[in-house]
Amino acid sequence: MRIPCPYCGERDAHEFVYRGDAAPQRPDGAEANEAAFADYVYPRANVAGAMHEHWYHAQGCRTWIVVERDTRSHAIAGATLAREAKR
Amino acid sequence: MRYSIFSLVREALSGHRGWGPAWRDAQPKPAYDVVIVGGGGHGLATAHYLAKVFGITNVAVVEKGWIGGGNAGRNTTIIRSNYLLPGNIPFYELSMQLWEGLEQDLNYNAMVSQRGVLNLCHSDAQRDAYERRGNAMRLHGVDAELLDEEGVRRHAPFLNFDNARFPIKGGLLQRRGGTARHDAVNWGYARAASDRGVDIIQNCEVTGFLRGPDGAVIGVETTRGTIRAGKVALAVAGNSSRVAAMAGLRLPIESHVLQAFVSEGLKPIIPGVITFGAGHFYISQSDKGGLVFGGDIDGYNSYAQRGNLPVVEDVCEGGMALMPMIGRARLLRSWGGIMDMTMDGSPIIDHAPVPGLYLNAGWCYGGFKATPASGWCFAHLIARDAPHPAAAAYRLDRFASGRVIDEKGMGAQANLH
């Protein structure tokens, strides 16, 4: 797998650390109850198909990026900087 | 036909023309008491024990491909019960005891071979951890033996004892552990279940659930028509999230790819199973002579049943560090299987939060050794609507309630605990 880092260009997946599904939103710690946090931490959509996911370019620019990847084929459709990704 | 030395001699003398198919390739009936989704080891074992132990024979096993074509055919065939935590030890030891009587129970040669499982340690801290694990095992009546360096040298003299980073200082040996023939386990369970009246229906993929007016699951929609059922049981590890999603469930599971490798056939060199946890590598030798080995999951979500080269490199480096002689063996095949990785690394055998639906999932990378106990405990849950005592900790709600079973201290990723 080669991941197109927005800064560094296409790099081997070996350089990146995987974080997982980018969809879940961390509940507001001041407001949320236990159930909301359990729902954030444990269950997963575990998509079979196109998935937006967080990768960290640990051995490159050390930036968090959001990669769109198909979990059935490992085909990568694109990547954006995590801070610029649509929420 | 019952297999025995007499049937073998009779067939040998008559040109092997009398062997029939081992199980009936059944057509789906409109309704069953229990429909088991997934014709892998766990689904077939569940059907066998439902019929044999709990007397429920109006059962169908529906399989999207052919039986044993998923993870049942993609594992590395290791059986062991060297667990630490109270929620795990009784369950895996039940499994070990079922393995020990499996061939007599099924009348099928599953090639159970108890040649020992050795976990290597490299430091005082790791030896202490193994001593604790071994003591926990022995307190539960499981065999465990702590070897010093000399003991490991006697057991496996070919290892690289003087590795600069991970010198071998000893190991924890479970002599009753070993390997079994993965295909034979499936075929044996299929044959035994089929003999008792269970319908095994292949090429029959579940596409949805039939729901009653109260929302309960009352059957499955499949590519071969609708099948009604009193109870529907899922044993589809690897794809649990996809199937459960059809019933509106989100499970605490990520699907990951785990690769495994086999070398060309060699003369016997490896005694039993040897694990090199520090280097993410383990190895055994099949009865055919191939070295069967593997390591870590690739580490990203995948349903692709194939992995990538960084992990291939990592596994081979682990192998070369542990036993440099394997550098001369040629790799014959490698493959990937899809693991249900739960968030604490332990399985789930429980009622689904939907009436009529039962869940057997989350086997992470340890499903094969659990096959007999998983089938037995799942059958118990389905038949009696109460968890088997040995599997009572494998609840679905343990994540929300904080009763996780973190045997390895991690789930799908190391940062979850």
Side-chain angles (χ1 to χ4, degrees):
Chain A
M1 251 176 357
R2 290 172 70 78
I3 293 175
C5 175
Y7 278 135
C8 311
E10 197 171 73
R11 307 292 299 175
D12 196 287
H14 210 171
E15 295 182 2
F16 294 79
V17 175
Y18 185 70
R19 174 66 177 79
D21 195 347
Q25 296 288 306
R26 189 184 173 88
D28 182 339
E31 304 289 326
N33 56 20
E34 274 182 33
F37 262 103
D39 192 60
Y40 168 68
V41 174
Y42 295 115
R44 300 283 194 275
N46 199 12
V47 179
M51 179 169 167
H52 289 87
E53 49 195 22
H54 282 127
W55 292 78
Y56 175 61
H57 199 179
Q59 293 172 49
C61 58
R62 297 197 288 176
T63 305
W64 283 97
I65 62 176
V66 173
V67 176
E68 186 184 348
R69 188 178 62 97
D70 193 315
T71 57
R72 293 166 304 184
S73 64
H74 301 162
I76 290 169
T80 51
L81 295 175
R83 62 173 175 270
E84 288 168 6
K86 275 194 281 245
R87 286 257 160 207
Chain B
M1 180 197 287
R2 201 175 155 73
Y3 298 149
S4 68
I5 184 70
F6 304 108
S7 67
L8 191 62
V9 170
R10 191 173 62 239
E11 287 303 322
L13 294 175
S14 61
H16 293 290
R17 282 186 290 269
W19 300 116
W23 72 87
R24 293 174 298 112
D25 198 12
Q27 301 301 311
K29 289 192 288 194
Y32 293 90
D33 291 341
V34 177
V35 168
I36 297 167
V37 183
H42 291 233
L44 294 167
T46 304
H48 167 66
Y49 293 120
L50 265 179
K52 183 180 175 185
V53 180
F54 299 97
I56 300 175
T57 55
N58 186 19
V59 175
V61 177
V62 298
E63 162 58 44
K64 74 174 175 184
W66 62 90
I67 63 163
N71 291 336
R74 291 170 180 270
N75 55 74
T76 44
T77 77
I78 294 167
I79 60 175
R80 59 184 175 89
S81 59
N82 51 359
Y83 278 73
L84 173 69
L85 299 181
N88 279 335
I89 299 183
F91 175 82
Y92 286 101
E93 178 55 16
L94 170 65
S95 208
M96 198 67 230
Q97 289 172 10
L98 290 171
W99 282 117
E100 288 173 329
L102 188 72
E103 291 157 334
Q104 290 69 30
D105 181 27
L106 300 180
N107 179 231
Y108 202 91
N109 183 7
M111 296 165 73
V112 173
S113 171
Q114 295 176 285
R115 287 174 294 170
V117 171
L118 175 66
N119 308 133
L120 298 173
C121 66
H122 316 278
S123 65
D124 289 344
Q126 216 182 355
R127 186 193 293 114
D128 289 348
Y130 278 155
E131 194 161 354
R132 181 182 172 214
R133 178 177 295 263
N135 285 337
M137 290 162 64
R138 292 173 76 133
L139 285 170
H140 281 82
V142 184
D143 70 306
E145 214 175 300
L146 195 66
L147 301 185
D148 59 8
E149 185 183 333
E150 202 41 51
V152 177
R153 277 186 195 275
R154 275 197 299 275
H155 185 80
F158 49 82
L159 298 177
N160 181 8
F161 285 82
D162 302 319
N163 183 304
R165 177 66 183 86
F166 294 115
I168 294 169
K169 296 296 184 190
L172 184 66
L173 177 65
Q174 186 186 19
R175 291 196 188 274
R176 285 163 64 237
T179 57
R181 170 76 193 157
H182 54 102
D183 290 325
V185 173
N186 285 278
W187 299 331
Y189 273 123
R191 173 169 170 271
S194 180
D195 281 352
R196 286 194 159 81
V198 172
D199 279 358
I200 295 165
I201 304 160
Q202 302 184 103
N203 299 311
C204 181
E205 182 172 357
V206 168
T207 54
F209 292 103
L210 214 56
R211 308 291 281 265
D214 58 347
V217 169
I218 54 167
V220 287
E221 305 280 0
T222 76
T223 49
R224 296 178 67 177
T226 301
I227 305 173
R228 301 181 77 87
K231 296 173 177 179
V232 175
L234 305 185
V236 290
N239 287 291
S240 296
S241 298
R242 294 171 79 177
V243 180
M246 296 179 205
L249 303 178
R250 273 173 87 226
L251 301 178
I253 288 173
E254 288 179 9
S255 294
H256 283 249
V257 60
L258 177 66
Q259 301 191 68
F261 309 83
V262 64
S263 78
E264 60 188 331
L266 302 167
K267 289 187 176 177
I269 46 169
I270 312 259
V273 180
I274 298 172
T275 78
F276 175 35
H280 304 283
F281 177 81
Y282 66 93
I283 188 165
S284 66
Q285 188 167 18
S286 77
D287 291 351
K288 216 158 58 178
L291 303 180
V292 183
F293 57 96
D296 254 344
I297 53 176
D298 270 39
Y300 45 81
N301 286 42
S302 173
Y303 286 94
Q305 292 192 318
R306 64 171 187 278
N308 273 290
L309 290 171
V311 166
V312 178
E313 188 180 17
D314 186 59
V315 168
C316 292
E317 283 172 355
M320 287 300 288
L322 179 68
M323 36 190 292
M325 68 175 179
I326 68 165
R328 298 184 58 189
R330 275 168 294 212
L331 196 65
L332 193 63
R333 284 193 307 276
S334 73
W335 63 92
I338 301 306
M339 311 291 114
D340 267 11
M341 297 302 296
T342 56
M343 298 304 131
D344 62 355
S346 297
I348 298 161
I349 301 177
D350 200 0
H351 293 98
V354 178
L357 191 62
Y358 298 76
L359 191 62
N360 176 327
W363 290 99
C364 299
Y365 22 62
F368 179 74
K369 64 177 154 322
T371 304
S374 166
W376 186 297
C377 295
F378 199 33
H380 185 286
L381 178 76
I382 296 163
R384 306 238 170 111
D385 269 317
H388 187 284
Y394 298 148
R395 298 168 62 100
L396 178 59
D397 67 2
R398 69 175 184 266
F399 300 95
S401 66
R403 291 179 177 83
V404 291
I405 313 163
D406 49 353
E407 176 85 29
K408 205 182 155 197
M410 60 184 280
Q413 294 171 33
N415 62 2
L416 290 169
H417 282 279

